[in-house]
Amino acid sequence: MANKTRLMALALSGLIGSVQAGEKEELLKLRNTTTNLIKQLVKQGILTDKAANEMIKQAEVEAGQQAAAAKAAGQKEAVPADEVRVAYVPDFVKDEIRQQVRSELREEVVGDVMQKAKNEQWGLPNALPEWTRKFKLSGDIRLRSQHDYQAPDNIPNSYLDYQAINDARGVTNAGLDAFYNTTEDRQRFRERLRIGIDANVADSLKAGIRLATGNQRDPVSTNQNLANYGNRYDFTVDRAYLQYDAIDDNKFKWLTLSGGRIKNPWYTGGGEFTGGSELVWDTDLSFEGFAATLRHHLGETDRLMDNGDQSHQAYLTVGAFPLQESSFSSDKWLLGGQAGMDWLFANQDNLKLGAAYFDYVNMQAKQNTTGSGTCDTNNRANTASRPEFMQGGNTLATICKEGTRLAPGTLPAMVGLASDFNIVNLNASYDMALFAPYHLRFSGDYARNIGFDKQEVSRLYGSAVDAKTTAWQFRADFGWPKAEVAGHWNVFAAYKYVGRDAVLDAFTDSDFHLGGTNFKGWFIGGNYGLMKNVWLTGRWLTADMISGPTWGVDVLQMDINTQF
C-alpha cells in the first residue's frame, strides 16, 4: 500500500500550478487515469472507499510537499504574477510511473479477475453443455501386500468352513475345501479400485453410483487378488443411491434421507484418523435399504469454527435394510436406530458419542424335522433360512443333513444361525488438539447381543452352548488427522475382543483373524504421506481363538494408497 501511495504522490506532484498547454493536458490525463483506476479498484472490491480516499489525500499531501521543496530549492529568478512554474516531468519518468503502477497492481488485479472468471465460469457456458457441470467424479486405487502367518501350534483340519459346505451342499461334496487353512502361511498381492460419480438431480437432491473391484459374493471386501493368469477383474456396482439433504438458512444440514445401496449411515467411532471401528461393521460394507438422519444444533456456536455439519449437534438415525428376500419364506431384515452427540470445544477438542440398537429379523435357522432330516426331503422354507454369507465364528445349527449311503443323516449338508441377534452398540471418541498440529485421539466401541437365548440356541445346536455375547475395542491414535500430504503421519494401536455370538460374523472386520468372530488380540500401524493424495499404510494384526482348538493368525499389510 505504501508503494502505491508514493506512486500516486509522484503522479500528482505535476498537478500543482500551471504549465504549457500540452504539458497541462498530459498531466490532467495522468490524474484522470489514476483516479479512474482507484475508482475501478473500489468497484471491484479490492479497495474500500475509506482506503481510496486516504490514498488520494496522502498522495496530494506528499505531492504538495514535493512541490514546496522544489520551489524552495529552485528558481531564484523573478516569476511573472500570472505564471506559476512546476517541475518538468519528462516522458521517461511518466513511463516509469506507468510501469511501476502496472507492476504493483498487476498480480493482485489479475488474480482477482481470474478468480472471478473461475467462479462465474466466463466463457464456459457456450463451450460445455450445462449437464456436464452436474457431475462429480472421484475414486481411489490401493495396492496391498498381505502376509498371513499361521501360529506353529495350530491344529490342522480343526475348523469347518461352513460357507464352503453350504455352497457345496455338504461336507462330503466340499471335500478338502470343507476345512479352513490353519497351518499354511500365505502371501498375496491385492488391489482395490473404486470409482464414484455423483450427480446433482435438483436442489438438495443428488444421485450417486460407485463401482468397485472385489468378489460379488463377499459384502465386506473390495480387494481383488492378483495372479489370475491375466484374467480380467470383477467390477461391480458397490453403491447406487439417491440422497436428499435439507439445509437451513445458516447452512446447517438438519436432515438427510437416502435410499438404494448406500454408505454406512451409522457412526462407528471413526474420525479423520480412521474409517471407524470395525467391531460391528466392516468399513467396506454397503447397506441396501433406506436411512434417515435428523440433526439438531445444541446452542449457539462460533460460525468461524463450526463446519455446519458436525459441531455442537445431536443426531438421530433410523434405517431399514432388507437382507434376503424369498418367495418361500419370511424375508430377512435389519432394523436399526442410533442417537448421539458431537461436541466441538473452544480449544478444538472434539467429543463424539453414539448409542445404537440393531435388530435382525428372521435370521435363525429353520431345521428340517421331516423324515430323517436329510436335505432330500427338505422344503424350500428351510433352505431359505441359510445365510447368504458367513465369515465364521457364530454358533450354527444344522438345517438338514447329508443323505449319503456311507453316513446317512449324520454330517451337515446345510447350516444356519442358531442365535437371534439384537445388538446394543455404544461408541465414544475424544480427540485432543493439545499437541496441535498433532492430535491425540482415544476411542472405544462396545457391543452386546441381548437377543441370545441360551435355551433356544442349545436346542438348535444340539448341546449346551455358553453365552459369548460381548465384544469391545479400545483404540488410540496420534499424529496428523490425515496423512494425505507429503510428510504428514499418524500412528495407532488397539486391542479387540469379539465374542462368538456378540455380532453377526458376516458383517464384522474381514482382516482381524481373516474375518469373523470368537477372536481376541491387538493391532498396530501407521500412515505416512508421500505426496499430495498419496500415502503409505502399514498394519500388523495378531489374533487368537477365544474358545475351541488353538488357532492363531498374524497378518501383515503394506498399502500404497491414492485418491483422486
Side-chain angles (χ1 to χ4, degrees):
M1 187 69 68
N3 290 338
K4 297 175 185 177
T5 303
R6 285 193 292 270
L7 291 173
M8 288 285 300
L10 182 61
L12 294 175
S13 63
L15 303 178
I16 306 299
S18 63
V19 292
Q20 298 297 327
E23 189 68 20
K24 183 183 297 185
E25 291 177 0
E26 183 68 21
L27 292 176
L28 288 175
K29 290 180 182 180
L30 178 60
R31 176 179 180 177
N32 292 336
T33 301
T34 305
T35 304
N36 290 334
L37 176 59
I38 294 176
K39 291 181 179 180
Q40 190 65 28
L41 294 176
V42 173
K43 184 178 179 181
Q44 294 293 329
I46 300 174
L47 294 176
T48 63
D49 289 331
K50 182 178 179 180
N53 291 330
E54 290 178 352
M55 284 182 60
I56 294 176
K57 290 179 180 179
Q58 185 177 353
E60 290 177 345
V61 170
E62 292 186 7
Q65 293 174 348
Q66 292 178 11
K71 182 176 181 181
Q75 320 298 330
K76 294 184 178 180
E77 67 273 16
V79 179
D82 60 346
E83 181 179 348
V84 178
R85 296 187 178 184
V86 299
Y88 171 69
V89 182
D91 290 338
F92 76 89
V93 175
K94 299 176 188 176
D95 292 338
E96 183 179 353
I97 292 173
R98 296 188 185 99
Q99 293 298 327
Q100 290 184 18
V101 171
R102 293 192 188 101
S103 176
E104 289 285 340
L105 300 180
R106 178 180 299 165
E107 182 176 353
E108 183 177 358
V109 174
V110 171
D112 289 333
V113 172
M114 292 299 294
Q115 182 62 40
K116 185 175 181 180
K118 180 179 179 180
N119 294 337
E120 298 181 1
Q121 297 182 325
W122 294 357
L124 290 182
N126 295 328
L128 296 174
E130 182 180 355
W131 63 266
T132 60
R133 299 194 296 273
K134 295 183 178 181
F135 293 88
K136 178 181 178 181
L137 178 67
S138 61
D140 62 83
I141 295 178
R142 182 182 70 194
L143 302 180
R144 167 174 290 178
S145 172
Q146 178 168 324
H147 300 257
D148 306 333
Y149 302 101
Q150 303 290 342
D153 55 347
N154 290 349
I155 303 173
N157 298 330
S158 54
Y159 288 94
L160 289 170
D161 184 348
Y162 285 103
Q163 180 67 44
I165 292 172
N166 274 356
D167 292 341
R169 294 299 183 96
V171 176
T172 303
N173 293 336
L176 296 177
D177 293 333
F179 295 93
Y180 282 109
N181 169 32
T182 59
T183 57
E184 297 296 327
D185 296 342
R186 185 179 185 185
Q187 194 275 331
R188 288 175 285 176
F189 292 105
R190 318 183 81 179
E191 180 177 4
R192 182 185 71 182
L193 167 63
R194 300 184 298 191
I195 297 178
I197 302 175
D198 293 325
N200 293 323
V201 179
D203 290 342
S204 301
L205 179 65
K206 73 174 183 179
I209 62 172
R210 188 173 78 176
L211 306 178
T213 53
N215 190 326
Q216 298 184 29
R217 289 287 306 278
D218 188 345
V220 292
S221 177
T222 51
N223 289 315
Q224 171 66 56
N225 291 333
L226 277 63
N228 290 287
Y229 272 94
N231 291 335
R232 296 177 178 86
Y233 297 161
D234 293 330
F235 207 54
T236 58
V237 177
D238 184 44
R239 290 178 187 169
Y241 61 91
L242 291 176
Q243 178 174 313
Y244 174 80
D245 294 309
I247 302 175
D248 63 16
D249 294 337
N250 294 322
K251 298 183 179 181
F252 176 70
K253 188 188 302 182
W254 65 273
L255 177 66
T256 297
L257 304 174
S258 56
R261 186 171 174 87
I262 65 176
K263 66 179 182 180
N264 189 342
W266 317 113
Y267 169 64
T268 60
E272 292 181 311
F273 280 102
T274 174
S277 170
E278 297 182 279
L279 193 71
V280 180
W281 314 110
D282 188 277
T283 55
D284 284 327
L285 180 66
S286 295
F287 286 70
E288 293 180 305
F290 307 91
T293 299
L294 180 66
R295 305 176 185 88
H296 176 68
H297 250 310
L298 300 173
E300 296 296 328
T301 62
D302 184 351
R303 301 307 298 178
L304 294 177
M305 296 168 55
D306 185 7
N307 63 16
D309 284 329
Q310 298 182 350
S311 304
H312 297 78
Q313 68 159 290
Y315 66 89
L316 174 65
T317 300
V318 295
F321 309 96
L323 299 178
Q324 189 174 337
E325 188 273 335
S326 174
S327 59
F328 302 101
S329 181
S330 300
D331 296 342
K332 299 178 181 179
W333 283 79
L334 166 63
L335 307 176
Q338 184 181 55
M341 181 188 73
D342 189 338
W343 190 269
L344 180 65
F345 296 92
N347 62 357
Q348 298 297 300
D349 285 5
N350 191 204
L351 173 65
K352 295 183 180 181
L353 302 172
Y357 177 74
F358 305 114
D359 183 9
Y360 289 91
V361 181
N362 298 321
M363 294 294 289
Q364 283 182 285
K366 297 180 180 179
Q367 293 181 311
N368 178 28
T369 58
T370 62
S372 61
T374 64
C375 288
D376 296 336
T377 59
N378 188 41
N379 60 51
R380 290 178 174 177
N382 298 138
T383 303
S385 70
R386 74 171 187 171
E388 285 293 316
F389 178 76
M390 296 182 294
Q391 295 192 91
N394 290 156
T395 301
L396 302 176
T398 299
I399 295 175
C400 59
K401 301 176 181 178
E402 291 186 354
T404 63
R405 291 178 295 175
L406 296 177
T410 57
L411 296 175
M414 193 178 302
V415 298
L417 298 171
S419 175
D420 190 14
F421 286 86
N422 301 313
I423 301 172
V424 175
N425 183 214
L426 304 176
N427 282 282
S429 67
Y430 191 83
D431 188 343
M432 301 173 59
L434 177 65
F435 310 101
Y438 308 119
H439 285 235
L440 177 61
R441 183 174 176 275
F442 298 102
S443 60
D445 193 358
Y446 174 84
R448 182 180 179 86
N449 177 21
I450 62 175
F452 185 90
D453 185 330
K454 181 176 180 179
Q455 183 177 354
E456 177 66 8
V457 172
S458 297
R459 183 189 68 82
L460 291 173
Y461 181 71
S463 62
V465 177
D466 294 332
K468 303 289 185 180
T469 58
T470 60
W472 55 273
Q473 174 181 296
F474 179 78
R475 173 168 174 155
D477 297 80
F478 180 74
W480 291 83
K482 293 183 178 180
E484 300 167 359
V485 178
H488 287 195
W489 57 269
N490 56 62
V491 293
F492 54 84
Y495 187 88
K496 178 184 290 189
Y497 178 99
V498 188
R500 180 174 53 230
D501 294 304
V503 298
L504 195 70
D505 67 31
F507 297 149
T508 189
D509 188 354
S510 61
D511 295 317
F512 190 67
H513 205 283
L514 304 179
T517 64
N518 196 26
F519 308 122
K520 63 180 179 179
W522 52 270
F523 60 88
I524 59 174
N527 301 281
Y528 183 80
L530 298 177
M531 59 186 71
K532 185 177 181 180
N533 296 325
V534 181
W535 69 100
L536 290 175
T537 300
R539 293 202 302 169
W540 175 270
L541 307 93
T542 181
D544 295 285
M545 188 71 69
I546 294 175
S547 60
T550 301
W551 185 14
V553 179
D554 295 334
V555 178
L556 173 62
Q557 296 176 338
M558 299 297 297
D559 302 338
I560 298 178
N561 308 276
T562 65
Q563 64 180 15
F564 52 90

